[in-house]
Amino acid sequence: QVQLQESGPGLVKPSQTLSLTCTVSGGSITTNYYYWSWIRQPPGKGLEWMGAIAYSGSTYYSPSLKSRTSISRDTSKNQFTLQLSSVTPEDTAVYYCARIPTYYSGIYYSEYDYWGQGTQVTVSS
C-alpha cells in the first residue's frame, strides 16, 4: 500500500517561498511509470494541478505557475518537494501530493490512485 504524507509550514508570509515535502512509503518514486504531482485547492474553489516530477526525474509545470514553481526529489529519502516563490494570499490553499500512472492524461483527478491527506497552507502577514 502506497502512502503519501505532506509536510511543511502551515503559515507563510507574503513574498516568501513556500516549501512542502511529500514523503512516500510503500513504493519508490523512481518506479516505472508514475508521475508524482502537487495539486492544491484554494478555499471555495476546485482542485488545481501545479506540477509533477516523473519516475525519471523529468519535471512538468502548470503554465500559470511555471515561473514560480520548482519540484525536485531526494531519491535517498523517497521524497519530492514543492517550492512556490513570491507567494501571495491567493496561494492560500490545501496542498496535496498525489500519484498518477503515466498512461493517464491527468485530465481527471479520479485518475490519481494515491493521495496524501493534504496540508493547509495560509499566506498571511
Side-chain angles (χ1 to χ4, degrees):
Q1 180 80 357
V2 176
Q3 293 184 316
L4 293 84
Q5 178 66 59
E6 306 90 349
S7 60
L11 180 64
V12 182
K13 289 182 172 11
S15 80
Q16 291 187 341
T17 295
L18 179 164
S19 183
L20 296 174
T21 296
C22 183
T23 301
V24 180
S25 59
S28 171
I29 60 174
T30 61
T31 298
N32 300 346
Y33 295 95
Y34 294 101
Y35 295 123
W36 302 88
S37 302
W38 286 100
I39 297 164
R40 69 180 182 179
Q41 185 168 29
K45 298 185 179 180
L47 294 168
E48 178 185 20
W49 180 80
M50 301 180 69
I53 187 163
Y55 61 97
S56 62
S58 298
T59 53
Y60 308 87
Y61 300 106
S62 166
S64 64
L65 296 170
K66 186 175 183 178
S67 64
R68 300 196 291 130
T69 307
S70 177
I71 297 175
S72 59
R73 67 180 184 177
D74 184 335
T75 57
S76 67
K77 296 181 180 178
N78 214 34
Q79 296 175 332
F80 62 105
T81 299
L82 169 73
Q83 289 194 309
L84 182 67
S85 63
S86 304
V87 297
T88 72
E90 285 67 40
D91 293 308
T92 294
V94 177
Y95 286 75
Y96 298 93
C97 54
R99 188 186 83 166
I100 184 171
T102 59
Y103 54 77
Y104 282 123
S105 64
I107 293 177
Y108 303 105
Y109 289 109
S110 59
E111 296 171 344
Y112 289 82
D113 56 2
Y114 290 101
W115 292 73
Q117 65 183 21
T119 187
Q120 173 70 47
V121 177
T122 300
V123 179
S124 175
S125 55

